């Protein structure tokens, strides 16, 4: 009977051991599964965080690049405008020299007289001239029949006709023509990239 008892006890022990082993195996399997899931989640989180950091770095780099690009473009535009302004100044300096040279030539007196002849004049008109053109005052008065005065505002030359009766001023000065040409220059002409050296 002891043998039977021992056998039963051994079977019971084997059954308990088997159940314990199954539970241990189940616990280990669950633990390994949880461990794998946690590792995968940690890896996913780390990858997601790294991706976020990379994206932020890319955006920051792009923003920095765009800022530098915009600043460089602005700097180039300013340099181009300065260069255009310098070219314009050079052109108008040359034009001004030619005009002044013309005002000192023999043809200038004829030019002034032709301006007077083309003007609509009456007894109320006064012809204004530059200080340098005062040498032509008598010729202008003789041609026009009008009083002629020096206007300190006229520096280059030409004439300005003041109709005191009607309150009208007709500006035919070279000063005015020069300034108007200068104002309209940028609208009529532009220096393209291929024109600027």
């Amino acid at each position: 009977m002891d043998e039977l008892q021992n056998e039963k006890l051994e079977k019971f022990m084997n059954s308990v051991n088997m159940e314990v082993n199954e539970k241990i195996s189940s616990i280990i399997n669950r633990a390994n599964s949880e461990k794998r899931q946690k590792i995968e989640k940690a890896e996913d989180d780390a990858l997601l965080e790294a991706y976020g950091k990379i994206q932020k770095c890319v955006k920051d780099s792009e923003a920095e690049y765009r800022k530098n690009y915009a600043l460089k473009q602005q700097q180039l535009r300013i340099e181009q405008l300065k260069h255009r302004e310098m070219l314009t100044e050079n052109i108008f300096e040359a034009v001004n020299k030619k005009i002044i040279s013309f005002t000192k030539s023999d043809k200038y007196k004829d030019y002034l007289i032709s301006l007077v002849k083309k003007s609509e004049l009456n007894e109320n008109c006064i012809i204004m001239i530059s200080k340098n053109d005062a040498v032509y005052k008598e010729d202008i008065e003789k041609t026009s029949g009008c009083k002629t005065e020096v206007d300190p505002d006229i520096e280059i030359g030409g004439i300005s006709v003041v109709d005191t009766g009607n309150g009208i001023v007709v500006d035919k000065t070279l000063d005015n023509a020069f300034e108007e040409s200068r104002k309209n220059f940028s609208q009529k002409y532009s220096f393209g990239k291929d024109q600027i050296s």
Side-chain angles (χ1 to χ4, degrees):
M1 179 110 180
D2 276 340
E3 212 174 284
L4 186 64
Q5 280 287 25
N6 280 342
E7 204 177 292
K8 279 185 179 180
L9 186 59
E10 197 177 313
K11 278 185 180 178
F12 177 75
M13 289 287 280
N14 284 341
S15 170
V16 167
N17 283 340
M18 228 161 85
E19 195 176 318
V20 167
N21 284 341
E22 281 177 13
K23 286 194 178 192
I24 288 171
S25 181
S26 173
I27 289 169
I28 288 171
N29 286 340
R30 255 187 287 137
N32 284 336
S33 176
E34 283 180 22
K35 177 182 161 187
R36 271 193 307 275
Q37 286 174 354
K38 286 182 179 178
I39 288 172
E40 284 174 7
K41 185 178 182 325
E43 285 176 351
D44 288 347
D45 288 349
L47 285 172
L48 196 60
E49 186 180 341
Y51 180 76
K53 285 180 180 177
I54 290 169
Q55 288 296 89
K56 185 181 181 312
C57 285
V58 166
K59 284 180 184 173
D60 290 348
S61 294
E62 272 183 11
E64 185 66 23
Y65 170 78
R66 286 177 195 210
K67 178 182 154 192
N68 289 340
Y69 181 75
L71 286 172
K72 188 65 177 174
Q73 270 190 322
Q74 183 180 12
Q75 181 185 7
L76 289 172
R77 275 192 219 107
I78 289 169
E79 286 174 14
Q80 186 180 30
L81 288 173
K82 284 181 181 176
H83 191 66
R84 283 181 182 180
E85 185 63 30
M86 183 194 71
L87 290 174
T88 302
E89 283 300 317
N90 289 343
I91 289 168
F92 278 95
E93 272 181 40
V95 168
N96 194 35
K97 284 179 184 175
K98 284 193 175 192
I99 292 171
I100 289 169
S101 174
F102 171 66
T103 62
K104 293 178 181 178
S105 73
D106 295 337
K107 295 178 184 179
Y108 181 63
K109 177 182 171 185
D110 294 337
Y111 170 75
L112 283 176
I113 299 300
S114 73
L115 286 179
V116 171
K117 287 179 179 176
K118 290 177 187 174
S119 299
E120 293 182 26
L121 303 171
N122 60 52
E123 68 276 355
N124 296 321
C125 289
I126 301 171
I127 298 176
M128 307 302 284
I129 58 174
S130 75
K131 180 176 75 173
N132 295 333
D133 294 344
V135 294
Y136 306 118
K137 182 178 177 183
E138 285 181 30
D139 293 318
I140 292 171
E141 286 179 341
K142 188 175 171 184
T143 303
S144 67
C146 297
K147 184 177 177 185
T148 303
E149 294 180 5
V150 171
D151 182 348
D153 292 333
I154 303 173
E155 294 177 5
I156 301 173
I159 64 169
S160 182
V161 179
V162 179
D163 185 342
T164 56
N166 296 313
I168 298 171
V169 176
V170 179
D171 194 333
K172 296 183 177 185
T173 62
L174 294 173
D175 303 62
N176 184 54
F178 182 77
E179 283 307 311
E180 285 300 313
S181 295
R182 193 178 184 105
K183 285 178 193 172
N184 296 327
F185 183 77
S186 60
Q187 294 171 353
K188 289 182 183 177
Y189 304 100
S190 65
F191 298 108
K193 290 176 197 168
D194 54 333
Q195 294 171 316
I196 298 175
S197 56

